[in-house]
Structures are given as structure tokens and as C-alpha cells.
Amino acid sequence: MLSIQNLTLEFPTRIIFDGISFLINPGDKVSLVGRNGAGKSTLLKILAGEHPPQGGSVNKPKEFSLGYLPQELALPEGKTVREETETAFVELRAMETRINEINEQLATRTDYESEAYIDLIQELTDTTQTYEMKGGYTLAGEVEKVLFGLGFKPEDLDRALATFSGGWRMRVELAKILLLNHDVILLDEPTNHLDIESIIWLESFLKTHPSAIVLVSHDRNFMDNVTSRTIEIVNGKIYDYPAHYSKFLTLREERVQQQINAKKNQEKEIKETQQLIDRFRAKASKASFAQSLIKKLDRMNTIEVDELESGRINFSFPAAQASGKVVLKLEDVSKSFGEKRVLNGVNMEIERGDRVAFLGQNGQGKTTLVRLLMNDIEGEGEVHWGHNVKVGYYAQEQTSWLDGNKTVLQTIEDEAQDDIRPRVRSILGAFMFSGEDVGKKVKVLSGGEKGRLALCKLLLTPVNVLVMDEPTNHLDLRSKDVLKQALREFSGTIILVSHDRDFLSGLTDKSYEFKDGKVKTHLGDIQSFLDAKQMESFREYEQQKKKQEKSATKNGNKQSDDKRKREEEKAERKRSKQLEKTETAIADLESEIAVMDDQLQNPETYKQLLNDEAFFESYNAKKAELEKLMDVWSDLING
């Protein structure tokens, strides 16, 4: 379907693509992987037609549809969430306009026998059928389904986009792409602005989506759950594996080991051949044989081993003197923004050595509480840091706090104490800044480079408490692994805000769930929290909790359990009956509408019905009723 042939691209300092070729077939689910700077985002831009290659071609069939979500784009304003999302349906809106135009013409014209009039009727029929086939009558429901899945609440849909952060407006752009039946969808770090609940919903949505998906992500779980094919970009070449990311890692190790073995065999063969050449070169009887060996060496292509682990950051957090037993205590902490109450009477106690995760949907107050802890904003209640606490803080917007006009070296030198200054270049080298890199201005760095530089600044002062808000947003997979290991080895206390399940797994031992202004404590890491509730997402957990609250009695004994079971069985029987009744009503309505459609398509009956307002009122009412019944049926099917 999408054919990439002999693609080449070269930057002044290195080759990005050296004649790569591959196919994206219908329904493929593909991860593009490789180290930072390997060319993943550039390849997506080329596939989307936004960056020209220097050689080769990207071939697409006629009537081909492609959706592309880059990491950064100009975000719209001026409309509500719902209005902006519906701008994706340009073709359907044009059909609506045309259908209205034709109906107005048919209502005023009297040349019923003319060929032009009959052509209008046929166009109306064709356009209406196409409109229905492309989901025009279910558009509103689909828009809400996707927006709710991405974390918007019903009251958000008619709010102005300008009142939302850039991350939430990126969700609207993602929704516009997901709602259209593209042949191929290109997604560059789609989870960067999503919370765990929305990430899990998106996984489920993409797995069953008919479009081919090509994505770049630093979320290992997301790639494993969505894709079944991995294309790795290494040194201008690609390696194509029919496997999800975790399986790919095993296959890649095997590939590299095969390269190492082949290179050893080749080096042995070259050495033995060279010895033969040296032995027979001076003998006249063997001169031709020696020449043939020389030609053989000239024709031999040297086997290269992919240096997959080059450029890996290497660091550990320096710990300060131990803090007191109680590191942090919150008493009745609250915070409002205008009329919106974000935090309401939060109480919390964190002890020395605790490893804590702040979890919950975006907008539930996690970053707000972190900013309260760090005195970035003021709130109500009491925040008490314990004895001898020294805090290292990585803010979600940490990279934006860097001075763009400073060089990398100046950024660290200006923060370093006198005893550290002689080691500044070595510290930067541990974060992959060496040679000419340290002279670069911060403003020209990539997001990943800025993230590494911000982490580097944390090393300049020993701390015993780390507060980190989304520290992995701009790090590649290997850098995230290094950061995770450094945090594991850190002897102090950790407070983490993150939506990366793989990063959090096994790293924290306590979770605070933020929801509706309140904070609830859960022991264990993120995976144990999810497993304990036997759910795939926080939404499933909330649904389960509501069912339990409705059916549970006060004493919680066996009688209560039996009663709850009977009530659930009764509810299931009621749901089944209602589902059967709804399906019957839908079938009846569809039959009635089909009869009316036949009447509208017949020129003779259509002329008789032209001035029959009651007929058209009935027809539209049946259509509207059918749409409502389909929504009811969908809700019943989904439990």
C-alpha cells in the first residue's frame, strides 16, 4: 500500500538513510525504533510528504488517505473542543451542505419531468447514501466516544480550546486523526501528553483500528501492546522484524551476535589469506595464485557490527547526608484556581526511603501539588519538610527553564560549585555532551538533549530527596533505563509523577491516586496497583468500584454477597431483555426507513411526496430515533 524505495538522505555530518526500502501493508502495526537522532521522526515526515528525500521515492495508491501527528505543531484556537474536532470531517460537512442545497432546489422547482430534476433526485440519493455509509448520522456519537477516551469530560466539549493547555489541545489533534478512516496513520510520540488511563484507552483503540499504524514512541508497554512489527534504523540502514518491541530486543541481540561472529570469521579469513599472499608473492610459479588472492581481498565487503550501545548516558545521583525519619507531612492542603477546586483537604506523610508515585488523570492536581511542595505557587493548609531535607527538583517544564542563549558548558559551569568546576566536562561527557557539543547554544538542542542537560544539573548538588515531574518525556528508551537504574541505586527518598508504566514498574513502593480533589494511598508499585484491581485502566477500576458500592450492604457478610450476586444476575437479565427489545426496534425502524428510501428514489412517488411535510417529518424523526437506538444498543453491548 505504501512503498518506500531506495530512500536516501544525508546531512552535512552523517548519512541518515542509505538507500532504505520497505512496505507498509494494509492493517500493519509498526514501531520505528532507534537511538535519538537516528532519523525516526524524519522518516515520518518523509512518509507524510513534509520533508523531501534526496533520493528514492515514496509511492502511494490513488485515493490514498494519510493522517500524521507530529511531536509539535501549531495548535488551533477560536473554537470549542467539539467544533475543532468536527473540522476533521470536511467531506461530510460538504455533503451536508450539498444535501441541503438539493432539498431546497427540489422544494422550489416544478419541472418534475425534466432530466435535470431527475438527475437532482439521483444525486440526492447517492449523496445521502454515501453520507450515511461514511458515518454522517453517527458522527456526533463517534466524536464524543474518542474525546471521552482521550480524557475529556462531557462539560469540556463546549469549552473554548484557548482555555486548555497545549497538551490537551494536542489530544484534540489526535482525536481528529483517529476519527477519520485513513489508510495509514503516522504517530510521533502520541503518549507524551496522555495520562495512564488515556494511554491504555488509546492502546485498545489502535489495536482494533483498521488503519495501518506507524508510530514512534519511547513507551515500551505501548509499543508492545499496539504493534506487531518493528523497524529499527541503525547507521543509515534498517532492520525489519515481524515482532513487537520486547521480542525485537531479543532478535536484535541475536543479529548483533551473528555480526560479531561473522566479523571474527572474516578477520580470520583475511589474516590467513594475507599470509598466503605474503608466502607466494615472491615465487614466480605462484605469482598468479597470489594475484588472485589479492583480488579476492579487494572484492571482499568488510562486515560491520552495529554499535547499538554507543552514546549511552552514565550517571548516578549523589546522595546528601540522611534526612530525618519524616521527610514530608501535609495537613489539610487545598488549592483552587478560580472556582475550580483542584486539591481539597489533602493529608499525606512520606518517610525517609519511601519511593512514591503520584498517579491519576491529567488535571487532577499531581503537578499542582508538586509545585506547592516546591513553593512555586501558594495554597491552603500546611506543608512541612522534615529535618535535614535537601531536595532536588525536576519540573515538567524543566527544559523550558534553561537559558537558550547559554552554551551547554556555560549552563553547567554557572550552576556548579567551585569544587565541582574542574569536573564539569567529565560530568557533561556522562550525559553524551562531548567535544564540540559543549559549545552548542541550548536553544539549538533537541528535546532529548535538553532533557539530558536538565538531568545533568541535578547532579551538581547532593540531595536526599528527589521530586521529579515527568522526567522521561524526552528521553529515549536506553536513557530511560539508565535513569531508572540511577533512581533504584539512589539511597534517599523519591517522589515521581509519571505516566510511563514501564518506567514506574518496580521503581516505587507506594502510590497516591489523585481524583476529584482527593488523594488516596495504595501500597505497591503501579503494576501491583493495576493487577490488584484486575483492570486494564483506571476507568475500569472506577466502574468496578461503583458496582460494588451499589450492591454492597453495610455489614459485608455472606448474606450481603449473595444479595449482591442476585442483584447482578437480575440486572444482567434486565440488560439482555432490553438489548433484545432494542435490536428488534432497530430492525423495525431500518425496515421502515428502507421503504421510505425506496419511495424517495422512485421519481413518481417522489413527486407525490414532494409537498408532503408530514412524510419528511416522519422520515427525519425515524432517522433520529434510529441514531438514538444505536447509541442505546452500543451502551448495552459495552455493559
Side-chain angles (χ1 to χ4, degrees):
M1 175 174 36
L2 190 61
S3 174
I4 293 84
Q5 297 291 331
N6 202 31
L7 208 65
T8 61
L9 182 67
E10 186 173 350
F11 289 169
T13 57
R14 59 192 174 91
I15 295 173
I16 305 299
F17 306 124
D18 188 12
I20 64 173
S21 300
F22 61 96
L23 291 172
I24 301 297
N25 301 304
D28 274 357
K29 302 291 189 288
V30 183
S31 290
L32 286 181
V33 301
R35 63 176 177 78
N36 280 354
K40 303 184 295 294
S41 295
T42 301
L43 182 54
L44 288 187
K45 289 179 182 178
I46 290 175
L47 298 183
E50 296 193 0
H51 192 299
Q54 291 169 333
S57 61
V58 177
N59 303 308
K60 309 170 187 176
K62 292 182 179 178
E63 306 299 325
F64 183 83
S65 174
L66 184 146
Y68 171 47
L69 181 75
Q71 284 191 48
E72 298 179 359
L73 74 164
L75 296 171
E77 293 183 4
K79 293 184 172 65
T80 66
V81 170
R82 190 195 307 271
E83 289 169 346
E84 180 59 37
T85 306
E86 290 182 352
T87 60
F89 300 97
V90 176
E91 184 181 7
L92 285 174
R93 292 306 184 208
M95 288 184 192
E96 287 179 359
T97 301
R98 184 55 184 159
I99 288 171
N100 291 333
E101 289 174 350
I102 295 174
N103 280 323
E104 289 177 5
Q105 291 183 48
L106 292 175
T108 56
R109 293 177 63 155
T110 57
D111 54 333
Y112 307 129
E113 303 294 335
S114 70
E115 184 175 342
Y117 191 89
I118 294 173
D119 288 344
L120 272 179
I121 293 174
Q122 186 60 49
E123 184 184 355
L124 177 63
T125 302
D126 293 343
T127 306
T128 302
Q129 288 178 342
T130 303
Y131 180 78
E132 183 174 6
M133 180 182 68
K134 294 196 173 186
Y137 294 114
T138 59
L139 183 150
E142 288 299 310
V143 166
E144 291 184 357
K145 172 186 171 184
V146 171
L147 289 175
F148 293 160
L150 291 174
F152 289 96
K153 297 178 180 179
E155 59 268 25
D156 292 334
L157 303 194
D158 296 314
R159 280 177 54 194
L161 272 175
T163 64
F164 289 89
S165 68
W168 282 97
R169 282 184 278 163
M170 282 291 286
R171 295 189 190 205
V172 173
E173 294 303 302
L174 176 57
K176 288 158 65 174
I177 292 172
L178 298 179
L179 282 163
L180 296 176
N181 293 321
H182 292 295
D183 296 293
V184 173
I185 295 176
L186 310 176
L187 301 173
D188 196 351
E189 295 291 356
T191 64
N192 267 2
H193 304 285
L194 302 182
D195 50 62
I196 291 177
E197 182 178 349
S198 298
I199 290 171
I200 295 173
W201 176 87
L202 182 60
E203 285 176 359
S204 177
F205 187 90
L206 293 179
K207 276 192 293 188
T208 58
H209 200 282
S211 299
I213 310 290
V214 182
L215 64 88
V216 173
S217 178
H218 290 154
D219 187 325
R220 181 181 281 106
N221 282 3
F222 185 73
M223 289 190 289
D224 277 347
N225 291 331
V226 172
T227 65
S228 56
R229 180 181 169 195
T230 304
I231 296 177
E232 183 188 25
I233 305 173
V234 184
N235 300 328
K237 301 176 292 185
I238 64 165
Y239 295 93
D240 199 338
Y241 297 85
H244 58 65
Y245 182 76
S246 293
K247 178 64 174 175
F248 146 76
L249 291 177
T250 302
L251 296 173
R252 180 179 65 172
E253 287 182 9
E254 294 175 358
R255 180 194 90 218
V256 174
Q257 189 58 51
Q258 289 170 357
Q259 289 178 338
I260 292 171
N261 294 337
K263 187 171 182 61
K264 286 180 179 178
N265 291 333
Q266 187 184 62
E267 288 173 346
K268 180 181 178 183
E269 181 183 358
I270 291 172
K271 182 179 179 181
E272 292 174 347
T273 303
Q274 189 62 53
Q275 288 174 344
L276 288 172
I277 293 171
D278 294 341
R279 179 180 175 185
F280 296 120
R281 189 194 302 268
K283 295 183 179 181
S285 61
K286 299 290 185 179
S288 60
F289 177 59
Q291 286 299 317
S292 67
L293 292 178
I294 293 172
K295 290 178 181 179
K296 176 184 175 182
L297 287 183
D298 291 340
R299 291 194 301 268
M300 188 178 293
N301 292 321
T302 303
I303 295 174
E304 299 291 341
V305 178
D306 296 320
E307 298 178 2
L308 301 177
E309 298 304 319
S310 62
R312 176 170 174 154
I313 64 175
N314 180 25
F315 73 99
S316 59
F317 290 104
Q321 182 182 357
S323 67
K325 181 179 180 182
V326 176
V327 169
L328 176 65
K329 188 172 183 178
L330 306 184
E331 295 179 349
D332 201 28
V333 171
S334 300
K335 177 62 180 176
S336 299
F337 293 97
E339 297 181 356
K340 185 177 181 181
R341 194 77 159 174
V342 179
L343 298 172
N344 188 18
V346 174
N347 295 290
M348 182 185 300
E349 185 170 293
I350 296 175
E351 296 185 350
R352 181 179 62 240
D354 279 353
R355 292 163 179 268
V356 171
F358 285 178
L359 306 174
Q361 284 186 313
N362 287 346
Q364 292 295 326
K366 303 184 300 297
T367 295
T368 297
L369 182 56
V370 167
R371 295 183 67 195
L372 279 170
L373 300 182
M374 303 312 300
N375 290 322
D376 286 345
I377 56 175
E378 295 182 354
E380 305 166 18
E382 299 292 331
V383 176
H384 301 287
W385 286 104
H387 173 67
N388 199 38
V389 168
K390 298 184 184 301
V391 181
Y393 177 36
Y394 186 98
Q396 190 172 148
E397 66 275 19
Q398 188 86 17
T399 58
S400 67
W401 292 354
L402 299 171
D403 187 339
N405 291 317
K406 287 185 178 181
T407 66
V408 170
L409 184 60
Q410 287 171 338
T411 299
I412 302 302
E413 283 183 334
D414 289 351
E415 295 288 330
Q417 298 177 7
D418 291 340
D419 59 332
I420 297 178
R421 283 180 178 273
R423 297 189 290 114
V424 163
R425 287 183 178 272
S426 296
I427 294 172
L428 284 170
F431 284 83
M432 296 162 49
F433 294 108
S434 59
E436 296 179 357
D437 292 338
V438 301
K440 286 182 179 179
K441 289 288 183 72
V442 170
K443 61 186 176 184
V444 304
L445 299 180
S446 67
E449 289 171 328
K450 289 178 182 177
R452 296 201 308 272
L453 185 60
L455 280 174
C456 184
K457 288 180 66 176
L458 279 183
L459 293 183
L460 301 179
T461 305
V463 298
N464 51 33
V465 177
L466 282 170
V467 179
M468 308 187 81
D469 191 356
E470 298 290 357
T472 66
N473 266 0
H474 299 289
L475 298 182
D476 62 26
L477 288 160
R478 288 183 290 117
S479 298
K480 284 200 297 185
D481 288 342
V482 174
L483 173 59
K484 184 173 181 177
Q485 185 59 35
L487 290 173
R488 278 177 171 160
E489 296 172 357
F490 179 63
S491 59
T493 305
I494 297 172
I495 299 173
L496 273 176
V497 180
S498 179
H499 298 306
D500 191 321
R501 289 160 294 165
D502 181 68
F503 181 72
L504 287 174
S505 182
L507 184 57
T508 58
D509 51 28
K510 185 189 294 185
S511 302
Y512 287 101
E513 181 186 12
F514 287 64
K515 187 171 181 64
D516 298 329
K518 299 293 184 180
V519 177
K520 182 178 180 180
T521 307
H522 300 272
L523 297 179
D525 72 354
I526 176 63
Q527 196 58 51
S528 63
F529 172 67
L530 294 172
D531 291 344
K533 301 298 184 291
Q534 294 183 343
M535 63 180 183
E536 290 295 326
S537 69
F538 290 116
R539 175 168 296 168
E540 292 176 4
Y541 165 61
E542 290 302 321
Q543 291 173 347
Q544 178 183 351
K545 186 171 69 173
K546 288 177 182 178
K547 290 179 181 178
Q548 291 172 345
E549 289 172 349
K550 288 181 181 178
S551 59
T553 57
K554 294 180 180 179
N555 57 17
N557 56 20
K558 185 176 183 300
Q559 182 180 359
S560 170
D561 293 336
D562 292 340
K563 182 179 178 182
R564 184 176 71 246
K565 186 176 180 180
R566 289 195 299 271
E567 289 175 348
E568 289 174 350
E569 290 173 348
K570 181 179 178 181
E572 179 58 25
R573 289 195 297 271
K574 182 178 179 182
R575 188 190 72 85
S576 297
K577 289 181 180 179
Q578 190 174 357
L579 180 61
E580 182 179 353
K581 183 179 178 181
T582 303
E583 287 176 341
T584 301
I586 288 173
D588 292 341
L589 261 180
E590 287 179 335
S591 297
E592 294 171 10
I593 292 172
V595 171
M596 299 176 86
D597 283 336
D598 289 339
Q599 291 176 298
L600 288 171
Q601 293 175 29
N602 188 320
E604 294 184 2
T605 56
Y606 182 82
K607 283 189 288 186
Q608 298 172 4
L609 295 171
L610 191 59
N611 297 317
D612 188 351
E613 295 182 0
F615 174 88
F616 286 100
E617 288 178 0
S618 175
Y619 180 78
N620 291 328
K622 290 180 187 294
K623 285 275 191 178
E625 180 62 16
L626 178 60
E627 184 174 345
K628 290 179 181 179
L629 284 173
M630 291 300 294
D631 289 340
V632 171
W633 178 84
S634 178
D635 290 339
L636 290 170
I637 284 293
N638 293 322

